[in-house]
């Protein structure tokens, strides 16, 4: 596998969260002292999020209900920023790494990667924990004319990117090296989310109005994208676009996808070709303007983010909602866009 010539220092030097106390009483005491985390279910995974206020991708201690990295660095399990990092210099992160909009964790050929995008053009697949670059590009760095909003890595090592303002899905020949620039593209209005479906060998994508699949063809060096199917998204307000946003697999129910729109949250049943709201906790989870949603199959918890009023940007929040059981995390002075469980898959 080709990796960029980046020093191993990104993400290094960050103190891991303190080891869990041996006794249950000690664990509850430590969690409570760290910010009211005594109610966190055992086995809760770390939280991966985009913090636009600090321009960082963070993995945070799930046992701490309040994260205040400025005053307690131990809440941070891992962080990433391409700024001032030699291996990402060609992507002009000072221009392109503005409003990081995606963070998802994936396994590829036995290694763990964090996929990330930013509104002003940055896209990268970053090795965890070293921070080394598997692949990256900058699409129109310095503006949001393309607005990369999500990415996905395919089994052959190529990388798909959803460009919301650019109204397109691109498939880059990332398997050819960390700076590979060749790509195929397909039009999709408001492209926001992507998911590779290994069982069906299709790339799912969500746009403003539709949920689509693409067949991947060609070769690793010269890939192609061909639309295979399309299904209209549920309309929340008659006469208005549904506004498809997040697309993520339902971990506890293979064959279903989380789908968020401007108005609601659904699970799409692939076999039945239907949008469902029959999942546990839907009364609290299904609401307007959900930017990210996902479940932990071990504990059954669902995590989601929605904008919070009164912050610097209208799409930011300082809080990560937890459902089943209900809870909440807070990032002090944060500007969170998306949050997900850190569950490599």
């Amino acid at each position: 596998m080709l990796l960029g010539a980046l020093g191993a220092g990104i993400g290094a030097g960050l103190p891991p969260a303190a080891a869990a106390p041996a006794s249950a009483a000690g664990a509850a005491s430590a969690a409570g002292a760290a910010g009211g985390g005594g109610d966190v279910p055992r086995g809760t995974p770390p939280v991966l999020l985009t913090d636009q206020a600090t321009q960082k991708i963070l993995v945070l201690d799930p046992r701490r209900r309040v994260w205040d990295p400025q005053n307690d660095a131990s809440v941070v399990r891992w962080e990433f920023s391409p700024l001032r990092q030699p291996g990402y210099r060609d992507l002009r992160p000072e221009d392109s790494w503005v409003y990081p909009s995606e963070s998802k964790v994936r396994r590829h050929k036995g290694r763990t990667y964090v996929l990330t995008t930013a509104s002003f053009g940055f896209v990268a697949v970053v090795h965890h924990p070293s921070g080394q670059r598997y692949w990256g590009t900058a699409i129109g760095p310095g503006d949001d004319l393309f607005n990369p909003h999500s990415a996905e890595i395919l089994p052959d090592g190529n990388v798909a990117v959803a460009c919301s303002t650019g109204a397109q899905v691109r498939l880059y020949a990332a398997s050819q090296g960390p700076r590979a620039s060749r790509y195929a593209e397909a039009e999709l209005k408001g492209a926001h989310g992507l998911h590779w479906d290994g069982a069906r060998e299709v790339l799912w994508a969500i746009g403003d109005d539709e949920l689509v699949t693409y067949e991947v063809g060609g070769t690793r060096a010269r890939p192609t994208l061909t639309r295979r199917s399309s299904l209209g998204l549920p309309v929340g307000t008659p006469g208005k676009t549904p506004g498809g946003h997040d697309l993520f697999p339902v971990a506890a129910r293979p064959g279903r996808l989380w789908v968020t729109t401007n108005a609601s949250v659904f699970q799409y049943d692939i076999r039945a070709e239907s949008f469902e709201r029959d999942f546990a906790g839907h009364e609290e989870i299904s609401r307007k303007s959900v930017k990210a949603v996902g479940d932990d199959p071990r504990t059954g918890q669902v995590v989601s983010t929605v904008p919070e009023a009164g912050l610097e940007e209208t799409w930011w929040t300082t809080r990560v909602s937890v459902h089943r059981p209900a809870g909440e995390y807070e990032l002090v002075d944060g500007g969170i866009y998306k949050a997900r469980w850190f569950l490599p898959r």
Side-chain angles (χ1 to χ4, degrees), residues 303-342:
V303 70
S304 66
T305 55
V306 294
E308 178 183 340
L311 301 182
E312 183 177 330
E313 301 293 354
T314 58
W315 56 86
W316 285 7
T317 182
T318 60
R319 303 178 187 279
V320 177
S321 300
V322 182
H323 317 272
R324 305 186 63 234
E328 187 176 72
Y329 293 105
E330 178 186 358
L331 179 62
V332 176
D333 297 324
I336 302 168
Y337 187 61
K338 290 181 182 176
R340 307 192 186 281
W341 298 121
F342 190 85

Side-chain angles (χ1 to χ4, degrees), residues 96-149:
S96 62
W97 181 246
V98 178
Y99 299 132
S101 54
E102 177 65 284
S103 55
K104 64 169 69 168
V105 59
R106 292 288 185 261
R107 293 282 291 172
H108 177 66
K109 293 188 175 179
R111 307 190 77 184
T112 300
Y113 294 97
V114 173
L115 282 65
T116 186
T117 63
S119 295
F120 278 33
F122 186 94
V123 186
V125 178
V126 179
H127 177 252
H128 179 277
S130 73
Q132 291 181 322
R133 171 178 169 178
Y134 167 74
W135 172 83
T137 193
I139 306 175
D143 58 51
D144 61 355
L145 292 179
F146 288 92
N147 197 352
H149 212 81

Side-chain angles (χ1 to χ4, degrees), residues 56-213:
K56 291 180 179 179
I57 303 299
L58 300 174
V59 177
L60 296 163
D61 187 346
R63 298 168 302 155
R64 316 280 283 275
R65 285 299 191 187
V66 178
W67 303 308
D68 188 358
Q70 291 299 316
N71 292 307
D72 183 2
S74 70
V75 300
V76 180
R77 297 279 183 90
W78 182 81
E79 69 177 36
F80 170 78
S81 170
L83 297 171
R84 294 174 293 280
Q85 299 299 335
Y88 296 88
R89 186 175 297 146
D90 61 303
L91 304 185
R92 292 169 49 194
E94 66 280 0
D95 298 320
S96 62
W97 181 246
V98 178
Y99 299 132
S101 54
E102 177 65 284
S103 55
K104 64 169 69 168
V105 59
R106 292 288 185 261
R107 293 282 291 172
H108 177 66
K109 293 188 175 179
R111 307 190 77 184
T112 300
Y113 294 97
V114 173
L115 282 65
T116 186
T117 63
S119 295
F120 278 33
F122 186 94
V123 186
V125 178
V126 179
H127 177 252
H128 179 277
S130 73
Q132 291 181 322
R133 171 178 169 178
Y134 167 74
W135 172 83
T137 193
I139 306 175
D143 58 51
D144 61 355
L145 292 179
F146 288 92
N147 197 352
H149 212 81
S150 187
E152 182 68 290
I153 188 166
L154 276 57
D156 64 2
N158 288 342
V159 175
V161 181
C163 300
S164 60
T165 311
Q168 59 188 232
V169 173
R170 290 185 176 185
L171 179 58
Y172 282 87
S175 60
Q176 305 305 297
R179 293 170 175 79
S181 59
R182 183 183 296 277
Y183 62 86
E185 69 177 25
E187 183 178 352
L188 179 60
K189 178 186 172 187
H192 263 75
L194 297 167
H195 169 63
W196 172 256
D197 185 339
R200 296 162 186 81
E201 296 190 330
V202 295
L203 178 68
W204 291 89
I206 191 170
D208 281 346
D209 305 298
E210 55 187 337
L211 180 65
V212 305
T213 61

Side-chain angles (χ1 to χ4, degrees), residues 5-48:
L6 173 64
I10 299 180
L14 294 172
S23 70
S29 175
D39 60 336
V40 176
R42 184 181 297 275
T44 298
V47 180
L48 170 68

